[in-house]
Amino acid sequence: MAAGIPPETTAAPRPPLVRELVLVAALFLVYKCGRLVANGHEARAFANADRVWDLERAVHLPGEGWVQDLLLDGGTVVQAANAYYAWVHFPATLAFLAWLYWRRPAHYVWARRALALLTAAALALHLLVPLAPPRMLAEAGLVDTAQVYGPSVYGATPATDSMANQFAAMPSLHFGWALMVAIGLIAATRGRWRALWLLHPLVTLLVVVGTANHYWLDALVATVLLGATLALVRVPGTAWRVPVLGARAVLR
């Protein structure tokens, strides 16, 4: 047993592996299909983008451009940021879940439930509030770094992109998942330096903003949704839980 880790979180039985693989794959497919259903609504997406941009300036948030300027100082840096955006998001989250499944089964169930609820809430918001990212907003004056420097995970235009909804900027699941990974690893470990896991969401935040894929508010909304999610799902080793009505069949 790891030092400082409650025995019930390390000795808990692992859920059946095949069931978990099917469940995670099904959740991923529902998420991708839901994003495709949300495609379109271009006029609403740009109107909402104008509102978000104006709100950020009204509350004096720093412009997204200052982060992008740091990335554009070197071609290698901006390409690394684009690669981080394209290739770290899913693998890091899957590696996190796999490690928890093997080493901290109780924490795995908790994290999987939290990620599922966060993703469902984000998908609902994507459908209700389509939002064009700052790279598409002319008044932002930002560079679409993925299209200019590569690599890119999106089509050249939303109309030609059959794999993703480019009008699903809010909330940023890149940031929300990264923050959950960090929180989950901090909760599941007792190392002296475990707080360094917070570097993952910090780097992710700078990447998603600097590549002009997200606004600051996208990350803020993701944080609020994750906070609400974690208030509903019991952390292993704690004594309370608020039931999540209607979600038992998906989350158990």
Side-chain angles (χ1 to χ4, degrees):
M1 180 182 69
I5 302 294
E8 65 271 17
T9 68
T10 55
R14 296 186 185 92
L17 178 59
V18 173
R19 189 193 75 177
E20 291 304 307
L21 291 174
V22 171
L23 177 58
V24 171
L27 289 172
F28 172 74
L29 288 175
V30 168
Y31 168 65
K32 293 297 288 185
C33 290
R35 285 173 66 98
L36 292 175
V37 169
N39 270 330
H41 309 293
E42 185 169 338
R44 287 175 58 201
F46 280 99
N48 289 332
D50 287 332
R51 296 187 186 99
V52 168
W53 185 259
D54 291 342
L55 176 60
E56 287 191 341
R57 307 292 78 79
V59 298
H60 304 293
L61 285 177
E64 286 79 357
W66 77 266
V67 181
Q68 184 166 96
D69 289 342
L70 295 176
L71 298 183
L72 294 179
D73 279 344
T76 302
V77 175
V78 71
Q79 288 175 345
N82 290 334
Y84 195 96
Y85 182 86
W87 298 328
V88 173
H89 177 47
F90 283 110
T93 307
L94 290 175
F96 162 69
L97 289 174
W99 185 84
L100 288 183
Y101 179 86
W102 184 251
R103 299 295 299 273
R104 303 285 189 273
H107 282 90
Y108 164 79
V109 174
W110 163 68
R112 188 251 288 153
R113 289 172 175 169
L115 283 169
L117 282 175
L118 171 63
T119 303
L123 177 57
L125 198 54
H126 292 162
L127 292 168
L128 293 171
V129 187
L131 180 67
R135 57 188 165 80
M136 295 183 185
L137 192 62
E139 65 189 272
L142 298 174
V143 176
D144 186 341
T145 62
Q147 290 296 332
V148 174
Y149 298 95
S152 176
V153 294
Y154 298 121
T157 66
T160 61
D161 197 336
S162 61
M163 296 301 296
N165 174 20
Q166 296 196 43
F167 296 136
M170 180 179 289
S172 169
L173 276 178
H174 270 73
F175 179 75
W177 284 16
L179 185 58
M180 181 60 212
V181 167
I183 291 172
L185 289 171
I186 290 171
T189 60
R190 290 295 181 269
R192 179 180 300 178
W193 303 102
R194 68 186 189 278
L196 291 177
W197 287 115
L198 290 171
L199 289 174
H200 177 43
L202 175 59
V203 171
T204 299
L205 175 61
L206 295 177
V207 164
V208 300
V209 171
T211 57
N213 282 294
H214 288 285
Y215 305 89
W216 296 113
L217 283 180
D218 297 340
L220 178 60
V221 171
T223 302
V224 171
L225 289 178
L226 180 58
T229 294
L230 293 176
L232 294 173
V233 184
R234 182 179 66 86
V235 180
T238 61
W240 64 274
R241 182 185 180 204
V242 180
V244 183
L245 298 179
R248 292 184 182 272
V250 174
L251 302 178
R252 67 185 178 186

